[in-house]
Amino acid sequence: MKKRIFSGAQPTGQLHIGNYLGALKNWVALQDEYEAFYCIVNLHAITLPQDPAGLRKATLDLARIYLAAGVDPSRSTIFIQSDVPEHAELTWVLSCIARMGELERMTQFKDKGKGNAERAGVGLFTYPVLMAADILLYQTDLVPVGQDQKQHLELCRDIAERFNRDYGETFKLPDPYIPPVGASIKSLQDPEKKMSKSDENPNGSILLLDDADTVTKKIKRAVTDSGTTIDFDETRPAISNLLSIYQILTEKTRHECVEHFQGKGYGHFKTELAETVVEFLRPFQERVREFDDETIKSILQPGGERAREIAADTLGDVYVALGIE
Ligand code: TYM
């Protein structure tokens, strides 16, 4: 029996190259070795206000991105979270297991709630519980994510351990898979901040659907540190970030990257980085255009059915363990 993977992304805003390098690239790489479930987490999306028509469209568009990135529906299950109502049901159960104090410590809540808990939606607060339900329903072994989700995964394990201790062995404890390079791609405008879908400055992120001109302009405008060499250096996060993007896309080692740019200036480096990103995005964007809505729906519908079989099994065990079957 293959071990199992679960991961997902929110259909909010446009995906950027950080989402690809930190998560999707690894989803694709791991789908041979593992039985994979890749979810479009639309229930997470509504923790912040969304335009209904926009959310409906973004949900199908995100499936297109998964497919164009190389997630293969004949090997991996791609589905929409709300097609499997067990996610919401298990969330209720786990919200009776999770502690207020644990959720209050989640940094993403503090960021997204903008420090104003009084005005934040309750769903934004319990967001990590829904995420734990996603993962635990599939008896997941491994969760490939970027660095920003690490704290949520630790909470998921804590909730699972507590449930198992109090009600008997029910959930498998999942491990995170956080890649050694690319787990936290930074904003091109501020290397102290992660590249983010909700960044107000459009120059901070390279979107997966940006055209060649836009990509080139954004990279040309990217901030660099004082210094002249092209090198990985913790004290120079801006150039290190750009170099990491180059490293992953070219599949070179750190050493090869540094050697390649030895004696070259920032201008030369940026031109080559822009070409590399554009060359990566071109075939990706062609694939995005290949999938029409009907094709997408014909993949998502059986995906949801397959996911539901497994989710229903786990939820059945949970209800028996609790005495509410
Ligand atoms: P989301 O939609 O914010 O992001 C999707 C994935 O992209 C990663 N990521 C990054 N990686 C590197 N550098 C960045 N700058 C960067 N920004 C984002 C994220 O870590 C994530 O892996 N809560 C999740 C979705 C989710 C989920 C789950 C994930 C819901 N349930 C269960 C795994 C398992 C989120 O909002 O991802």
Side-chain angles (χ1 to χ4, degrees):
M1 274 264 284
K2 280 186 175 175
K3 290 193 167 182
R4 214 171 259 164
I5 283 185
F6 184 96
S7 200
Q10 295 192 69
T12 48
Q14 287 222 23
L15 260 69
H16 51 68
I17 199 156
N19 296 123
Y20 176 77
L21 299 176
L24 266 87
K25 187 172 193 293
N26 302 312
W27 300 4
V28 174
L30 293 165
Q31 66 183 341
D32 274 337
E33 202 187 323
Y34 290 82
E35 183 189 8
F37 290 81
Y38 296 128
C39 186
I40 296 163
V41 296
N42 58 348
L43 298 176
H44 279 103
I46 60 167
T47 55
L48 291 174
Q50 303 294 334
D51 159 57
L55 180 58
R56 209 169 280 125
K57 178 173 183 307
T59 301
L60 297 184
D61 286 347
L62 186 53
R64 251 184 281 277
I65 298 276
Y66 287 8
L67 292 164
V71 175
D72 174 1
S74 70
R75 285 178 288 168
S76 300
T77 303
I78 307 176
F79 71 103
I80 303 175
Q81 193 179 28
S82 62
D83 280 348
V84 182
E86 285 77 4
H87 288 245
E89 283 188 68
L90 183 61
T91 299
W92 174 253
V93 171
L94 298 183
S95 72
C96 300
I97 307 290
R99 310 263 202 260
M100 295 289 285
E102 286 173 322
L103 295 178
E104 273 163 7
R105 284 193 289 277
M106 295 293 117
T107 55
Q108 197 153 341
F109 172 69
K110 292 182 199 159
D111 292 348
K112 289 197 179 171
K114 300 197 170 71
N116 188 352
E118 283 293 313
R119 306 249 351 134
V122 175
L124 195 62
F125 186 63
T126 57
Y127 178 113
V129 182
L130 175 57
M131 194 166 150
D134 295 343
I135 297 166
L136 299 177
L137 272 177
Y138 299 91
Q139 304 293 359
T140 302
D141 295 284
L142 199 68
V143 186
V145 283
Q147 178 69 28
D148 61 343
Q149 298 302 318
K150 186 163 178 263
Q151 197 188 29
H152 289 160
L153 279 181
E154 285 161 2
L155 176 70
C156 170
R157 281 179 68 101
D158 290 345
I159 293 174
E161 268 185 317
R162 193 172 306 137
F163 189 97
N164 288 348
R165 189 196 63 206
D166 294 348
Y167 297 101
E169 214 43 51
T170 308
F171 295 120
K172 200 173 246 185
L173 298 189
D175 286 312
Y177 175 88
I178 297 176
V181 192
S184 188
I185 298 292
K186 306 300 182 192
S187 155
L188 301 187
Q189 290 298 314
D190 179 358
E192 301 299 324
K193 287 198 319 201
K194 65 171 185 179
M195 191 176 278
S196 162
K197 282 185 223 158
S198 52
D199 194 342
E200 280 151 22
N201 184 346
N203 289 325
S205 313
I206 299 172
L207 304 181
L208 292 175
L209 299 181
D210 273 345
D211 61 37
D213 254 14
T214 309
V215 170
T216 307
K217 276 192 197 126
K218 286 181 178 178
I219 292 178
K220 289 266 148 76
R221 284 184 196 147
V223 298
T224 44
D225 326 76
S226 58
T228 48
T229 53
I230 316 296
D231 208 348
F232 291 99
D233 177 352
E234 275 174 26
T235 64
R236 292 160 64 209
I239 192 71
S240 301
N241 184 47
L242 295 176
L243 207 47
S244 298
I245 298 175
Y246 179 84
Q247 184 194 348
I248 312 177
L249 290 180
T250 56
E251 293 178 353
K252 289 189 166 117
T253 64
R254 272 175 163 232
H255 180 72
E256 283 166 346
C257 293
V258 173
E259 215 165 48
H260 183 76
F261 290 112
Q262 206 158 32
K264 306 267 166 53
Y266 282 161
H268 175 100
F269 167 63
K270 283 184 164 180
T271 305
E272 195 167 331
L273 175 62
E275 281 165 10
T276 305
V277 175
V278 167
E279 279 316 304
F280 159 70
L281 290 179
R282 182 172 300 130
F284 175 86
Q285 293 174 357
E286 274 165 21
R287 285 195 299 276
V288 169
R289 285 190 287 270
E290 274 168 24
F291 298 102
D292 59 45
D293 282 2
E294 285 319 304
T295 311
I296 298 286
K297 286 179 188 164
S298 73
I299 291 169
L300 291 173
Q301 200 242 342
E305 285 167 12
R306 156 115 189 89
R308 200 163 180 198
E309 280 173 29
I310 297 165
D313 261 4
T314 304
L315 190 68
D317 292 346
V318 169
Y319 282 177
V320 170
L322 289 165
I324 56 171
E325 73 270 32

